[in-house]
């Protein structure tokens, strides 16, 4: 990779609880970064609806969700995110979702339990068609 191929980060939108950036490189990647410890569901939906417009505008195939600042897990937000939003994004070609979780074992266990509940409640959910990966850093997430 030459210096010209090095990804660049451009902040597109700074919202109350999250920022949205575009990582420009060989393929564009959207990055949403939680900026607070908790994102209320109405703000969470607004952030991801904004992302949906950007997925379409930039033909993005990969999203990185950096949750490292979060310390409150909210199951209804996660369910909406998986069942509704990710299904819509599949239609737009967004198929790879990479998450960076906080180094908080309680939060990580809550995510696992919440994900298991969603998988059990929606065995035929379209989100099962997506590639959902986890990374420990932004650098690792970009490479996945």
């Amino acid at each position: 990779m030459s210096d010209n191929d090095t990804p660049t980060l451009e902040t597109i939108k700074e919202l109350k609880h999250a920022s949205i950036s575009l990582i420009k490189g060989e393929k564009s990647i959207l990055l949403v970064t939680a900026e607070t410890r908790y994102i209320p569901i109405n703000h969470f939906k607004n952030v991801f609806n904004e992302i949906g417009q950007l997925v379409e505008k930039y033909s993005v195939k990969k999203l990185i969700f950096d949750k490292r600042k979060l310390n409150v897990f909210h199951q209804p937000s996660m369910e909406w995110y998986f069942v509704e939003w990710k299904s819509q994004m599949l239609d737009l070609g967004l198929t790879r979702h990479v998450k960076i979780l906080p180094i908080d074992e309680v939060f990580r266990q809550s995510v696992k339990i919440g994900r298991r509940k969603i998988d059990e409640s929606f065995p035929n959910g379209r989100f099962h068609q997506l590639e959902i990966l986890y990374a420990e850093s932004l650098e690792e997430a970009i490479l996945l």
Side-chain angles (χ1 to χ4, degrees):
M1 184 181 279
S2 70
D3 288 341
N4 293 341
D5 295 333
T6 302
T8 59
L9 185 71
E10 174 190 338
T11 301
I12 294 177
K13 200 155 228 176
E14 292 189 33
L15 303 164
K16 184 174 182 177
H17 297 279
S19 62
I20 303 170
S21 302
L22 185 65
I23 301 170
K24 297 178 186 175
E26 186 178 320
K27 294 181 180 177
S28 294
I29 301 168
L30 277 172
L31 167 66
V32 60
T33 304
E35 300 293 352
T36 56
R37 296 168 37 158
Y38 172 68
I39 303 174
I41 192 166
N42 58 327
H43 291 275
F44 186 83
K45 287 181 176 182
N46 287 340
V47 168
F48 281 91
N49 286 330
E50 291 268 351
I51 291 168
Q53 294 172 17
L54 297 169
V55 165
E56 194 164 21
K57 179 178 179 178
Y58 294 104
S59 300
V60 173
K61 307 290 183 227
K62 178 177 173 180
L63 171 76
I64 299 170
F65 187 4
D66 185 345
K67 303 178 180 188
R68 289 179 286 187
K69 289 184 183 170
L70 293 177
N71 70 0
V72 176
F73 174 81
H74 188 247
Q75 182 69 21
S77 295
M78 186 176 184
E79 187 170 307
W80 173 84
Y81 174 62
F82 269 81
V83 177
E84 293 183 38
W85 187 81
K86 286 186 178 190
S87 292
Q88 294 170 3
M89 294 306 102
L90 186 60
D91 292 337
L92 297 177
L94 178 61
T95 57
R96 181 174 281 190
H97 298 254
V98 183
K99 286 95 178 352
I100 308 171
L101 299 178
I103 310 285
D104 172 347
E105 206 47 47
V106 172
F107 189 95
R108 288 177 179 227
Q109 285 302 316
S110 296
V111 168
K112 284 181 187 175
I113 292 166
R115 176 74 191 275
R116 188 170 49 243
K117 286 180 183 176
I118 293 170
D119 288 346
E120 290 168 0
S121 297
F122 302 92
N124 299 317
R126 294 185 69 216
F127 60 88
H128 292 289
Q129 299 171 35
L130 301 170
E131 192 173 9
I132 300 171
L133 307 165
Y134 292 87
E136 295 298 324
S137 67
L138 181 56
E139 295 77 15
E140 180 186 354
I142 291 170
L143 294 173
L144 288 176

